[in-house]
Amino acid sequence: DVKVTQSSRYLVKRTGEKVFLECVQDMDHENMFWYRQDPGLGLRLIYFSYDVKMKEKGDIPEGYSVSREKKERFSLILESASTNQTSMYLCASSPGPMNTEAFFGQGTRLTVV
Amino acid sequence: QQPVQSPQAVILREGEDAVINCSSSKALYSVHWYRQKHGEAPVFLMILLKGGEQKGHEKISASFNEKKQQSSLYLTASQLSYSGTYFCGLNAGNNRKLIWGLGTSLAVNP
């Protein structure tokens, strides 16, 4: 079974902290994605990556950055956490090219206080 | 640009049927359907490609009308396990990322 593993299910951070959310997939997928999910707003793409060291902005990249140094790992970084970044964060991966099944991690519920 | 899903919510009794629609203002290359149960990750259901090819894993059917830029997901003889939020994701030809609808909440009661 394909596994997408996010490092934490729940995280509480203080305003202004630098926050790292980690995602690891074990199926050698090319594509990896970071989404945030808020009630009534659906899935919004923050960043995605289609290869090591490659990244593209999604729909809401402001306040976030990403890193993909190895194919299996995709990190989301909140440079200076703010309360409006309190949300559920979902990582996903899929084999390239497009039109293939995506596999999601269990999500990280981040609360910024 | 964001696809419109309808209805927003539906409540069924076990055994009843439901149709969930996903409409776009853009020409579509493919439509992806996922289901997310409460507290869980979204799970893939089906991909419908331009030209009619379907790829799916479950006994759930769907249609893709390219002219109308619309897809419909058909849930027949619903089971309790069908409860969850259904999302459509659209690929308008831009390759690797999808544009997601806001979801349709489906509750199946005994």
Side-chain angles (χ1 to χ4, degrees):
Chain A
D1 274 358
V2 174
K3 248 193 175 165
V4 179
T5 304
Q6 295 183 228
S7 51
S8 307
R9 287 296 301 269
Y10 300 95
L11 214 50
V12 179
K13 294 292 181 181
R14 295 195 179 278
T15 302
E17 274 194 79
K18 190 168 186 176
V19 181
F20 293 86
L21 303 183
E22 306 286 345
C23 176
V24 177
Q25 50 95 1
D26 65 358
M27 281 301 291
D28 202 37
H29 284 174
E30 285 184 14
N31 307 314
M32 295 189 76
F33 306 84
W34 274 108
Y35 292 96
R36 75 176 268 180
Q37 186 173 33
D38 301 288
L41 296 179
L43 290 163
R44 293 184 292 168
L45 182 64
I46 304 171
Y47 268 97
F48 70 102
S49 166
Y50 52 88
D51 200 354
V52 175
K53 296 192 188 296
M54 304 300 289
K55 61 186 179 185
E56 283 197 28
K57 292 180 180 180
D59 301 316
I60 51 165
E62 297 78 19
Y64 304 94
S65 62
V66 289
S67 171
R68 194 167 181 199
E69 295 295 319
K70 293 185 177 181
K71 193 173 186 180
E72 67 270 19
R73 186 180 296 269
F74 193 34
S75 303
L76 180 70
I77 303 154
L78 287 67
E79 295 290 342
S80 177
S82 64
T83 54
N84 63 13
Q85 292 178 310
T86 291
S87 185
M88 170 67 80
Y89 290 87
L90 288 166
C91 174
S93 73
S94 68
M98 199 48 203
N99 296 321
T100 53
E101 177 180 354
F103 296 84
F104 284 81
Q106 286 295 100
T108 296
R109 170 76 62 186
L110 173 68
T111 303
V112 183
V113 297
Chain B
Q1 186 172 351
Q2 186 172 47
V4 177
Q5 285 188 236
S6 63
Q8 288 186 322
V10 59
I11 299 174
L12 299 175
R13 289 205 177 273
E14 225 175 339
E16 290 182 336
D17 301 338
V19 180
I20 299 172
N21 298 307
C22 177
S23 299
S24 170
S25 58
K26 283 191 164 191
L28 300 177
Y29 183 77
S30 63
V31 180
H32 303 224
W33 286 97
Y34 285 75
R35 176 174 62 210
Q36 184 178 29
K37 298 193 177 186
H38 183 70
E40 297 182 11
V43 173
F44 170 79
L45 293 175
M46 182 167 294
I47 294 173
L48 299 105
L49 303 176
K50 192 174 179 179
E53 185 183 354
Q54 292 188 26
K55 303 183 202 178
H57 292 264
E58 294 190 17
K59 294 180 182 178
I60 293 175
S61 62
S63 64
F64 180 16
N65 187 323
E66 295 166 32
K67 285 186 180 177
K68 289 187 177 179
Q69 294 157 199
Q70 179 178 306
S71 177
S72 297
L73 189 71
Y74 304 97
L75 303 157
T76 56
S78 59
Q79 306 168 18
L80 297 177
S81 61
Y82 285 8
S83 293
T85 301
Y86 290 77
F87 292 97
C88 66
L90 306 183
N91 179 0
N94 186 23
N95 45 63
R96 299 178 189 258
K97 67 176 187 177
L98 299 177
I99 304 167
W100 296 90
L102 294 182
T104 294
S105 174
L106 179 78
V108 181
N109 296 322

